[in-house]
């Protein structure tokens, strides 16, 4: 494990080295109303270059149009080749944050079906900024661990 960031009491975002790639896990451990345990683990895979790319791409995403940012009202970036992976950033509103889509990898739930949906991970503002994910990415501390 490279890093673990708590989203709330029952959920975390975990960054893991996985066979030469970076896996970003969204883990939730809840109890249903009837007392049944309910566990979810969603996985998005990218190359480690993602950790250098994302802070810069996010900065470009939020830059005003007058300073070279996206056009007014833009909610998604164009796809960008990041070490062989086609990635883009999308603004989400509920909860407030950003979604990163990896259009080069199929969502594991859909493998073997005739439809395709890319892998994606959501970073809520609260955990991305206040929770320290963005600071951790920018620090480069993760480089010593890979």
């Amino acid at each position: 494990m490279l890093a673990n960031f708590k989203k709330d009491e029952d959920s975390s975002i975990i960054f893991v080295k996985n066979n030469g790639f970076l896996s970003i896990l969204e883990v939730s451990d809840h109890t249903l109303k009837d007392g049944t345990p309910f566990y979810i683990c969603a996985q998005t895979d990218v190359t480690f270059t993602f950790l250098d790319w994302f802070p810069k791409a996010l900065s470009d995403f939020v830059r005003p149009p007058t300073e070279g940012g996206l056009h007014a009202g833009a909610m998604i970036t164009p796809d960008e080749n990041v070490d062989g992976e086609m990635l883009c950033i999308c603004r989400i509103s509920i909860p407030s944050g950003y979604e990163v889509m990896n259009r080069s990898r199929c969502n594991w739930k859909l493998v073997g079906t005739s439809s395709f949906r890319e892998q994606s991970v959501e970073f809520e503002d609260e955990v991305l900024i206040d929770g320290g994910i963005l600071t951790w990415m920018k620090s480069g501390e993760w480089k010593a661990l890979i």
Side-chain angles (χ1 to χ4, degrees):
M1 180 171 56
L2 302 173
N4 182 356
F5 297 92
K6 294 292 274 181
K7 288 175 68 173
D8 57 40
E9 183 178 303
D10 301 318
S11 303
S12 296
I13 294 181
I14 302 170
F15 293 81
V16 178
K17 183 178 178 179
N18 183 5
N19 294 317
F21 289 93
L22 173 67
S23 290
I24 305 168
L25 310 175
E26 294 178 90
V27 180
S28 298
D29 189 5
H30 301 282
T31 303
L32 300 176
K33 291 180 183 178
D34 68 0
T36 305
F38 185 68
Y39 179 79
I40 299 171
C41 182
Q43 178 175 328
T44 300
D45 298 306
V46 290
T47 65
F48 285 102
T49 306
F50 169 84
L51 295 171
D52 281 326
W53 169 82
F54 180 73
K56 182 185 178 317
L58 182 61
S59 178
D60 291 345
F61 184 81
V62 299
R63 182 177 298 125
T66 57
E67 296 175 18
L70 297 173
H71 64 83
M75 297 297 288
I76 191 166
T77 64
D79 289 355
E80 187 173 340
N81 184 333
V82 180
D83 202 17
E85 307 275 343
M86 296 307 291
L87 306 179
C88 67
I89 298 175
C90 177
R91 182 72 174 150
I92 55 174
S93 56
I94 301 176
S96 180
Y98 300 89
E99 177 180 19
V100 176
M101 291 178 259
N102 184 347
R103 298 188 196 273
S104 297
R105 294 182 186 251
C106 185
N107 185 309
W108 68 269
K109 290 185 211 175
L110 301 177
V111 172
T113 68
S114 60
S115 62
F116 176 86
R117 191 172 122 226
E118 67 277 333
Q119 289 186 3
S120 66
V121 61
E122 291 182 2
F123 297 114
E124 298 169 17
D125 288 339
E126 187 175 304
V127 71
L128 179 64
I129 298 162
D130 301 332
I133 291 177
L134 195 57
T135 300
W136 174 74
M137 286 180 182
K138 288 179 179 180
S139 76
E141 294 173 22
W142 52 269
K143 290 178 183 180
L145 302 172
I146 62 169

